[in-house]
Amino acid sequence: MYSTDFTKRLLTYRLSLTHLKKVGLNDVYSHLLAGETSHSASLIRKDLSRLQVKGKRRGGYDIDTILQAINAYFGNKERDRIILAGMGNIGKAIIQNKDFEKHNIQIIASFDLNPAIQRKKFSIPVFPMEKCREIVVNYKIDVAILAVPAFSAQSVCDQLIQCGIRGILNFAPVNLKVPDNVYVSNVRLVDELQQVIYHTKQKRKHGEYS
Amino acid sequence: MYSTDFTKRLLTYRLSLTHLKKVGLNDVYSHLLAGETSHSASLIRKDLSRLQVKGKRRGGYDIDTILQAINAYFGNKERDRIILAGMGNIGKAIIQNKDFEKHNIQIIASFDLNPAIQRKKFSIPVFPMEKCREIVVNYKIDVAILAVPAFSAQSVCDQLIQCGIRGILNFAPVNLKVPDNVYVSNVRLVDELQQVIYHTKQKRKHGEYS
DNA sequence: TCGAATTTGTTCAATTGATCACAATAATTA
DNA sequence: TAATTATTGTGATCAATTGAACAAATTCGA
């Protein structure tokens, strides 16, 4: 299986390529894409080669061909349906984000422990956790976004897995414990920011300009 | 300079260690921390060695010592002050998040192009972009969170840099172009989710259980 | 049509990063 | 106290990933 870095780079390429296409280009050179994505040209060529995308020598690569290959890699034929656990600030921000729809990802339902929130109206239905199994099973859901407070994250995570969830995007600042047939990816906003702060300070110290 | 992976791991360790401490532990073995963080025990020992944290042979490591070393590594003496650009869904979710405060990061001001939003009351003041330079200079701000829509991301980014910002945490689905004395880290929610979906499917195919 | 210029595709080398393995050391038990 | 067990700390090895370099191919211009 390919490394997660490879997979991540593909999404970076896709972002730049859709942009370049919008700007009016039909072809790219590896150098051009390198400038856009800050990956080296030779690495890009290697990645495209792994995707079995052929370029024309001296002619560059056809953008649509690359985009199709990337989408095929992610299996973007069918629409992916997922659920959301936690309707706090982050949860709300997520369901209001239109980008998921654009990429054929649909959040079909949300869960929250708080009955007051269950009663409020959102763009998607909000259920109590007890409803989780029913929905996961009926709609054959594999993936969940976990956006609950830290103190309940592990417990909600366990419930999700119990219901059949096999992939989790976790926003809670917790290192979840899961069986190894479950895939977890963490988005830790504080950590991300702390890293930016750290590396910014480092650049000031060691950077070429200072 | 150390790799970003190392820096990221330290924050993972910190998360588990504060948890373990809360649970009542004073010491950890590298194996234990390995189980919590899903990094190998030997890698953890190497990392701690790089941090110049000494353990006791057969006695493990003192949790507080590690935590102090990690915090020292990130220079957590002084409070870090940053700004936020964009008061949409993500921006609002960020200022409502209490975790930043807990880690001594203070968001001192926010900026938004929309005058209606500027007039609303939030926990921090919201200014028009024209005020940016004044605040960045007066308060000596280095780092900004960029949470504006994709179409204006590059332009706002340019303005931030123009005002003196040197580190950016970017939430817009755009590959920003910045001079190389500026550090950028991207949080791409759609990409993160797409990766989870992809790897979850892969696990179903190739995983040990299936 | 021929040559020059340019870009891909791929091999090779080198660096980096992680794991392995084990010596050193400390604690525990008999 | 001596033997045994458990854990750190690190040198050596192994693997993976990236970058460099160059041959092959295509286009363009003269």
Side-chain angles (χ1 to χ4, degrees), chain B residues 85-170:
Chain B
M87 281 298 278
N89 301 319
I90 295 175
K92 279 183 230 159
I94 285 170
I95 62 167
Q96 290 172 48
N97 190 326
K98 305 296 176 203
D99 290 338
F100 296 103
E101 280 294 335
K102 280 183 204 156
H103 288 276
N104 252 336
I105 298 171
Q106 189 186 8
I107 304 171
I108 66 162
S110 170
F111 300 90
D112 200 290
L113 302 173
N114 185 340
I117 289 178
Q118 292 165 24
R119 266 177 256 117
K120 281 192 195 164
K121 281 287 164 211
F122 296 100
S123 55
I124 58 169
V126 181
F127 300 110
M129 276 307 288
E130 294 83 52
K131 272 271 190 180
C132 183
R133 170 180 292 281
E134 183 185 330
I135 290 182
V136 167
V137 171
N138 285 353
Y139 293 92
K140 297 200 183 85
I141 307 295
D142 283 334
V143 171
I145 299 176
L146 184 58
V148 302
F151 73 87
S152 63
Q154 183 65 59
S155 140
V156 174
C157 168
D158 294 343
Q159 293 178 63
L160 290 171
I161 293 169
Q162 238 282 312
C163 294
I165 290 296
R166 289 292 168 267
I168 294 175
L169 181 60
N170 172 42

Side-chain angles (χ1 to χ4, degrees), chain A residues 3 5 9 40 42-43 45-46 56-59:
Chain A
S3 79
D5 282 352
R9 283 198 301 274
S40 78
S42 73
L43 180 55
R45 291 201 297 277
K46 220 170 236 172
K56 283 182 196 162
R57 304 208 183 212
R58 186 168 174 150

